[in-house]
Amino acid sequence: MSKEIRIQCLVPDLPAPADTLPYLEEMYSNRWYSNFGPLVRRFESDILSFLQEHNGAQDCFVGTFSSATTALELVLKAIHLPKGSRVLVPALTFPATALAVLNVGMIPVLADVAPESWELTPEIAENALSEKAISVVMPVAAFGKPVDSAGWAAFQQKTGVPVVLDAAAALGQQDILGELIYCFSLHATKPFGVGEGGLLVTGNEDLVIETKSLSNFGFQGPAGVVREIGTNAKFGEYYAAVGLAQIGRWQEVMDRRTAVLDQYKAGLHRAGNSVSLQQGTGNFIPAVFPVYAKGRAKALEEKLADAGIHTRRWYLPPLYEHPGLKGMEGVVNLEPASFPVCEDLKESLLGLPFHGFLTAEDTAEISNIVAEETA
Ligand SMILES: Cc1ncc(COP(=O)(O)O)c(C=O)c1O
């Protein structure tokens, strides 16, 4: 039996009550709690300035939503494609990517991912277009690795197929181009955690206006008049209060996470070639920290559990193995053999603890166990 957990895999890093209190006081005196209130509007404005400063989001517009999942769903709706249109998604992702597609009556078409970066790339998508009629491509910032915005913009330009980026875990690190559409998550487990929430960022102002209207029952114009079939997926003032406080803590959060990554890089060095990190790690700070140990994920998981260390098999099983995800297709078919990279990653990826509260002793202990087990 596994030991009691001593080292958690993921610990949220959200503002202390005192940091949020001034905003909550403001909300209380405004007596305004939802429906695009003053704090939501200020958060949208401040996060846009933040994205302009940190991520090059020039000439962009921002909308807030109840989650990244609802942002993805509603932006897919706002693109106005016929029901049954096919959306290319990676088979290795958090299930919400496919759920958003299915919830709006479209068909997720699963593609395998690239072996080193573990993501859907423009090259993979171009090959898929030659196999199937794809109406939208939805790449994922896998495990928080920012997607290649320039590459996707070139793909969109060349093929004419719109790209909607599920960049759920990459807020703050994802460079942003106005011609693309980005959805981010503000879930508590994300590096930019707020609790619950989602963000849509794009250069298309009309698309943001329409998607926001869909998040408010499809109302537009005079109060209570439905222009198209929407839902209730609004962000609220409480979460905006946390979000405003979180913007001020971002550097501090990232400094902690950077230090942890550096400690791991030094510690995992001992494992040599038997353990590798996602391509480009260090150019970005991952949201979660899967390491690749060929065929050894399960053994490693057990060894770490015996030492009271919690790990996670993030994004696993691949989408084609979820019994409840019906109505999907593969680029070729849904047989595991059509996804050789996912099949390998399934046995080889293990998410090590990664959060800002790990000590140097924690990362050294984890790295030692990984090095010993994979030697
Ligand atoms: C890749 C990806 N897409 C979508 C989501 C869903 O985000 P939310 O919880 O804000 O709906 C997540 C959340 O973990 C995610 O990792």
Side-chain angles (χ1 to χ4, degrees):
M1 219 178 70
S2 298
K3 282 216 179 125
E4 197 181 324
I5 294 172
R6 285 186 304 114
I7 303 181
Q8 296 289 347
C9 190
L10 198 156
V11 178
D13 194 345
L14 268 69
D19 298 333
T20 315
L21 197 56
Y23 300 108
L24 294 177
E25 295 282 10
E26 211 178 305
M27 178 184 76
Y28 183 67
S29 67
N30 289 335
R31 298 285 197 273
W32 194 338
Y33 296 92
S34 185
N35 292 31
F36 312 118
L39 293 184
V40 164
R41 278 182 271 132
R42 189 171 347 147
F43 177 69
E44 287 179 352
S45 161
D46 287 6
I47 197 77
L48 181 57
S49 303
F50 170 95
L51 294 172
Q52 283 165 345
E53 186 187 333
H54 292 267
N55 307 113
Q58 303 312 320
D59 304 319
C60 281
F61 303 87
V62 158
T64 46
F65 298 86
S66 55
S67 68
T69 309
T70 54
L72 286 165
E73 280 175 29
L74 297 180
V75 82
L76 282 174
K77 247 183 139 167
I79 292 177
H80 295 295
L81 287 163
K83 293 245 183 255
S85 296
R86 290 181 166 77
V87 182
L88 189 72
V89 303
L92 186 79
T93 180
F94 186 71
T97 314
L99 289 169
V101 176
L102 290 163
N103 281 336
V104 295
M106 296 184 181
I107 300 172
V109 177
L110 308 189
D112 204 4
V113 294
E116 307 288 330
S117 62
W118 314 334
E119 65 186 343
L120 173 66
T121 61
E123 296 71 33
I124 294 173
E126 266 205 72
N127 288 336
L129 291 192
S130 62
E131 299 282 339
K132 271 225 158 118
I134 304 286
S135 302
V136 178
V137 177
M138 199 189 277
V140 171
F143 310 110
K145 177 186 190 295
V147 300
D148 170 14
S149 284
W152 284 113
F155 167 90
Q156 185 176 254
Q157 173 84 24
K158 180 174 167 191
T159 63
V161 177
V163 176
V164 176
L165 298 152
D166 176 353
L171 182 60
Q173 300 199 76
Q174 176 65 59
D175 62 311
I176 292 173
L177 294 175
E179 59 261 52
L180 296 172
I181 299 166
Y182 300 82
C183 292
F184 297 102
S185 173
L186 304 171
H187 190 263
T189 54
K190 297 290 177 279
F192 197 113
V194 162
E196 288 280 7
L199 212 60
L200 166 65
V201 187
T202 179
N204 182 341
E205 186 177 18
D206 291 342
L207 188 66
V208 174
I209 292 170
E210 178 161 359
T211 312
K212 280 179 75 168
S213 148
L214 288 169
S215 78
N216 191 32
F217 310 101
F219 290 157
Q220 211 179 65
V225 175
V226 174
R227 201 186 71 111
E228 55 183 320
I229 296 169
T231 186
N232 182 1
K234 297 189 293 294
F235 197 52
E237 296 289 278
Y238 278 98
Y239 283 134
V242 182
L244 285 161
Q246 190 67 314
I247 292 174
R249 303 173 71 244
W250 177 244
Q251 197 52 53
E252 177 195 327
V253 169
M254 285 308 279
D255 288 349
R256 274 197 282 277
R257 298 177 69 84
T258 305
V260 170
L261 180 64
D262 289 346
Q263 288 159 17
Y264 262 130
K265 280 182 139 178
L268 289 173
H269 206 67
R270 278 194 46 213
N273 291 339
S274 51
V275 172
S276 51
L277 306 184
Q278 189 178 21
Q279 192 174 51
T281 301
N283 299 333
F284 64 95
I285 308 301
V288 291
F289 192 50
V291 296
Y292 178 95
K294 187 155 186 67
R296 306 296 297 274
K298 191 153 180 38
L300 199 51
E301 180 182 33
E302 283 167 8
K303 200 81 185 172
L304 288 160
D306 285 344
I309 297 164
H310 188 215
T311 58
R312 291 285 300 270
R313 312 287 296 276
W314 304 111
Y315 297 180
L316 293 169
L319 293 184
Y320 51 84
E321 285 191 358
H322 287 264
L325 283 178
K326 309 235 185 319
M328 303 187 302
E329 297 177 358
V331 172
V332 182
N333 57 43
L334 279 178
E335 294 304 313
S338 299
F339 301 90
V341 178
C342 285
E343 284 297 290
D344 177 43
L345 296 177
K346 199 169 86 181
E347 309 300 329
S348 308
L349 285 188
L350 184 67
L352 300 183
F354 193 75
H355 55 79
F357 305 105
L358 289 169
T359 65
E361 289 75 37
D362 293 335
T363 52
E365 180 184 351
I366 297 163
S367 303
N368 283 340
I369 295 174
V370 171
E372 275 163 28
E373 181 57 31
T374 54

